Amino acid sequence: MKKAEATRMTILQKAFELIYVKGYQATSVDDIIATTQVTKGAFYYHFKTKDEMGIAIINEILKPTLTNSFIQPLQNEQNPLDGIYNLMYDLLMKNEFLKVEYGCPASNFTQEMTPWNADFNKVLNELTQQWTEVMTATIEKGKKNGFIRKDVNAKQVTMFIMSGYWGIRNFGKLENSKKVYLSYLKQLKNYLNSLK
Amino acid sequence: MKKAEATRMTILQKAFELIYVKGYQATSVDDIIATTQVTKGAFYYHFKTKDEMGIAIINEILKPTLTNSFIQPLQNEQNPLDGIYNLMYDLLMKNEFLKVEYGCPASNFTQEMTPWNADFNKVLNELTQQWTEVMTATIEKGKKNGFIRKDVNAKQVTMFIMSGYWGIRNFGKLENSKKVYLSYLKQLKNYLNSLK
DNA sequence: TTGCAAAAGTACCAAACAGTATCTTTATGA
DNA sequence: TCATAAAGATACTGTTTGGTACTTTTGCAA
């Protein structure tokens, strides 16, 4: 039961990489088995359909990864405004798992799958929910600790920041340059300061 | 020479609608000719390839439409901050051409095509450039007229606002509700006020 | 009216697609 | 060690894909 689990993870890992680069629909099962060196029999032993694998990627690759890169950094810092800024800075400028030319995996999945696939919509919603809740909680904590004005609406601010993040990731794809990230970060800092 | 131009436009119009809903790659040429009632011979008489049609959609449908909905409203208003806010409000809440569940066509195209298709990248860049330049110019004018602080970086602000717009369009797809738009608009107003 | 190119219609192709049927190998628990 | 189920390999299927070859109809200038 050890090797089987390994091949399953290989499929998810490699398939994720292909999908991150080319998109879900443009990545065929044949592509995946070609780059993983896993045969079709093995693939369809582990996953009933391509979509089941897609859902598994979100649940087993994206969710844990996001938990590490998004949620933990936020919970560590005491000043939530610094925490949010540093998180964004690290995500955009330092993270080597995410490439500027390929955007944000969660955002890509959302844009591609959401309007016509209810299963994907559901898990992507859970994924986003997770992130939203933690950032909202961070802001609320900041209000109590005096770092943020009391009249600030935490949910609204969270949506605003996350939107900017998804959007600038898309602009990064278009320009294929991290320059646009710097513009976003500068203005994010201004915006965050206005919440003090 | 009149009827031919009409069928060409029918193809572009209907194909755009399909692509806006399903995405470019998920929309097949057979889909397009089925819904347009145009035969394959006619389709490939007007367009050498599917991609040539895709580029034509951006140039002949998206560009003129965006010129009307984005650029003109900005140039009319005298206070640029009001102009930008009203523009965003109209785009998100009133525009009946854009549907919350399908996001922003330009953003969708960018996310889907940009990393691996240089031709699409080029025209999408031009499209975005057009919008960026006008908004930047609006802000610069606002600085001269005293509506906006002199130390504000117009390009940065433009990128920040556009990112938020693209991002919130994506969140709208995910939640399938205009509620998230209201959060964005509220915080956009706060942000814009911080530029005074 | 007729000649001829523009425009549209029809039938087909090879490649790629997701998925299946069937067989063989590998691992593991009794 | 050996029976059995888990895991993987191979070859195939029916369908859809973008595109082509060829034919037919339409519109317009002379």
Side-chain angles (χ1 to χ4, degrees), chain B residues 2 24 31 36 46 52 58-59 102 118 120 123 133 151 163 183 186:
Chain B
K2 220 57 175 297
Y24 179 78
D31 283 343
T36 49
H46 287 286
E52 187 179 299
I58 296 172
N59 283 326
Y102 303 130
F120 276 86
V123 291
E133 279 168 8
D151 64 304
S163 291
S183 293
K186 276 266 171 72

Side-chain angles (χ1 to χ4, degrees), chain B residues 174-187:
Chain B
L174 187 63
E175 311 251 338
N176 194 15
S177 159
K178 287 195 175 184
K179 267 186 204 164
V180 289
Y181 290 173
L182 294 173
S183 293
Y184 170 76
L185 287 167
K186 276 266 171 72
Q187 292 306 309

